[in-house]
Amino acid sequence: MIRVSIAAGKMDESVEEAYVKWWGFEKKEGNHLTAAMRDEDFKDFLKTNNLIVYKNHIKEYQDGDILGDFSVVER
């Protein structure tokens, strides 16, 4: 499993709602969204949303802004 945490403060409300509805994110305090995903779902999430990873960060492909972090959870 992969734990994902994204700062929702920069994104449109419609994008935030889509992350909650389609990708299983939960809203947390401080404008953060969190989710636990299987490896395959994480790859689909990145590809569908045009995101890339750098070290443990999730970045937008076009402008390189860091949206959040991820970590691999041992099974």
Side-chain angles (χ1 to χ4, degrees):
M1 292 294 283
I2 297 175
R3 284 211 190 278
V4 182
S5 176
I6 293 181
K10 290 184 173 182
M11 63 179 62
D12 287 341
E13 193 172 314
S14 62
V15 174
E16 182 179 333
E17 290 172 5
Y19 281 14
V20 171
K21 181 177 180 180
W22 298 107
W23 297 105
F25 280 86
E26 296 178 0
K27 294 181 182 182
K28 298 292 182 181
E29 292 181 31
N31 285 334
H32 278 82
L33 300 173
T34 61
M37 300 180 179
R38 296 177 310 154
D39 295 350
E40 302 84 23
D41 294 334
F42 182 65
K43 289 176 186 174
D44 288 343
F45 169 72
L46 295 173
K47 183 177 180 181
T48 300
N49 293 288
N50 204 24
L51 302 171
I52 58 173
V53 295
Y54 175 73
K55 298 186 180 182
N56 68 329
H57 301 296
I58 299 171
K59 299 174 76 171
E60 292 180 332
Y61 179 76
Q62 295 295 336
D63 55 20
D65 285 347
I66 294 176
L67 294 181
D69 300 314
F70 71 94
S71 60
V72 176
V73 177
E74 295 297 323
R75 299 175 212 268

